[in-house]
Amino acid sequence: MNWQQLLSSKRLGKDGVKASVHERRSEFQREYDRLIFSSAFRRMQNKTQVFPLPGSVFVHNRLTHSLEVSSVGRSLGSDVASELLRIHPELADTTEVQSIGAIVSAACLAHDMGNPPFGHSGERAIRSYFREGKGQMLKGMLPPSVWSDIINFDGNANTFRLLTHQFAGRRKGGFVLTYSTLASVVKYPYSSSLCGRKSKFGFFTAEREDYLRIARELGLAEQQCDGDGIRFSRHPLVYLVEAADDICYEIMDIEDAFKLRLLSYEEASGLLLNFFPEDEQDKMKAAYPGCTDLNDQMVYYRSCVIGALESACVKLFIDNEASILAGKYEGSLIDHVPERLGKAYKRCQEVAVKRIYNCKEVTDIDLAGYHIIYTLLDLVTEAVTHPDKAYSQLLLGQASSQYELRADDLATRIMAVLDYLSGMTDVYALDLYRKINGHSLPMV
């Protein structure tokens, strides 16, 4: 793969249309603005990240997480661009290289937009309904590739669909983003038939041709393409998007756990200080002698950790540029950071699994969210498979006309059900669930 081809301002849905000459923003800066002003992005403020949506203490939701990932991604992309121009003077004429920070920042902003309500429990509920629940009855009624998509439903593939799919009444190309930004979002560049047991893949069957067009236009290394089995090498900038997500996800969860008193100050600060040698820890502790606020101290330690991980990931990317461009780099950048950083990061992961992700506050929302999504999915699926029933017509009337819930093709209707449910916020899904069960009635 080569940078000249990998960095393209060509837009999906506007192939062959030149950008307006009076536009002062770059094509890639426009991506960020288009995403951040979208209703799909705003909805993430009411979607669970890890902890339940805030009560008296504000913790991260999908929106604040995405903004932070985008900030770190911009730094990673800008630093990588500077290094690439330093070691490859011939790229100076490739103006898009200077926009790598903007591309990565926009891709980071979009990376979670396809996730359903209630975090990962929403994904599990959807998969379980088709694998183990009443949804099994659809197996013989859908093409094998579509069946593989829904029993392995993944927020990553749904993000690509949300960004590219032409919903009813909407314009061609979805968000009409550039090929490079769209490719940078696809963390798992293969179809569901190749995902194995992890249920991680990059695009649904409905978006197969769009992904093929993007991948081949950008010159992504093609590893397999036979029938439904499609696999490409990652776009190199995916590694930076992934690194930004890894850094923010793990480190910010430690800070949130401290705010919620799941971890003591000693425990949380110890986890963050472990990223540095003892002499540097002493300097960090003495950096603000007049500061006695523990939250402010935690913010400072966290910022130091993010800075250290960001620098390490930039160096790894540049040192391994050849293998990344050859499609041979194994694992994520975080997997290969220097030993001290790697051990401290893994320790944070271990504590997070034991003390955060399995704490009662988190498992309670998992249980409730799972049941809510499972119930709604069952009812709406029943409605689209038997649309003539009176209750089906009543229920389908709740959904926006952009969702093709009344399409002639069953596969299209089932995918529209998933579009409808995954687009809901936690609050909307809970409210609809209560109304359906008669627990909530409008004021008379």
Side-chain angles (χ1 to χ4, degrees), residues 1-33:
M1 297 181 281
N2 66 85
W3 289 112
Q4 287 87 347
Q5 189 175 0
L6 287 165
L7 303 175
S8 170
S9 59
K10 189 173 183 179
R11 291 185 179 277
L12 184 69
K14 280 195 172 183
D15 302 302
V17 179
K18 292 184 178 180
S20 176
V21 294
H22 67 268
E23 180 62 69
R24 294 183 178 181
R25 297 171 298 168
S26 74
E27 289 297 298
F28 306 109
Q29 288 170 334
R30 293 172 64 194
E31 315 272 76
Y32 185 96
D33 297 345

Side-chain angles (χ1 to χ4, degrees), residues 51 57-60 250-272 292-302 351-352 355-356 359:
F51 298 104
V57 178
F58 190 85
V59 292
H60 289 82
E250 207 60 64
I251 305 308
M252 300 310 300
D253 285 351
I254 298 298
E255 184 179 346
D256 279 350
F258 166 66
K259 289 180 180 178
L260 293 171
R261 299 183 181 179
L262 296 174
L263 295 176
S264 68
Y265 172 77
E266 290 73 22
E267 290 172 317
S269 63
L271 287 169
L272 299 182
T292 58
D293 186 276
L294 298 184
N295 284 306
D296 208 39
Q297 290 178 22
M298 196 65 64
V299 167
Y300 173 61
Y301 296 159
R302 177 256 296 161
V351 171
R355 302 282 299 280
I356 300 175
C359 73

Side-chain angles (χ1 to χ4, degrees), residues 32 65 90 116 141 212 246 263 270 284 299 324 327 342 381 385 405:
Y32 185 96
H65 167 71
E90 69 278 9
M141 303 164 65
L212 277 175
D246 288 343
L263 295 176
M284 290 169 62
V299 167
I324 289 173
T381 299
T385 50
L405 296 170

Side-chain angles (χ1 to χ4, degrees), residues 88-162:
H88 297 300
E90 69 278 9
L91 291 177
D93 294 333
T94 307
T95 56
E96 286 82 359
V97 171
Q98 299 175 19
S99 296
I100 286 178
I103 298 172
V104 175
S105 181
C108 288
L109 203 65
H111 82 283
D112 268 353
M113 284 174 63
N115 282 36
F118 305 109
H120 294 300
S121 63
E123 290 177 302
R124 290 193 293 269
I126 293 171
R127 291 194 292 264
S128 177
Y129 176 76
F130 293 109
R131 285 180 178 179
E132 308 165 354
K134 294 180 182 178
Q136 291 182 86
M137 67 178 182
L138 297 171
K139 184 175 181 179
M141 303 164 65
L142 296 171
S145 59
V146 175
W147 179 250
S148 177
D149 287 346
I150 62 178
I151 64 172
N152 293 294
F153 178 87
D154 179 53
N156 295 281
N158 202 49
T159 292
F160 187 75
R161 177 176 172 84
L162 176 66

